[in-house]
Amino acid sequence: MDHTAQVEGIAVGVGPDGAGVPAVVLSARDEYL
């Protein structure tokens, strides 16, 4: 099963130790990943 995803942006999440973790926000099938 193939799906196309688009990069919607770049964000910073918070890891378990409170440090910033870079994240790439993708959209596929009308959902954000």
Side-chain angles (χ1 to χ4, degrees):
M1 181 178 340
D2 291 331
H3 296 286
T4 300
Q6 289 186 319
V7 176
E8 294 293 336
I10 299 173
V12 177
V14 179
D17 59 356
V21 178
V24 177
V25 180
L26 304 173
S27 66
R29 299 180 301 156
D30 297 326
E31 298 176 337
Y32 289 103
L33 313 171

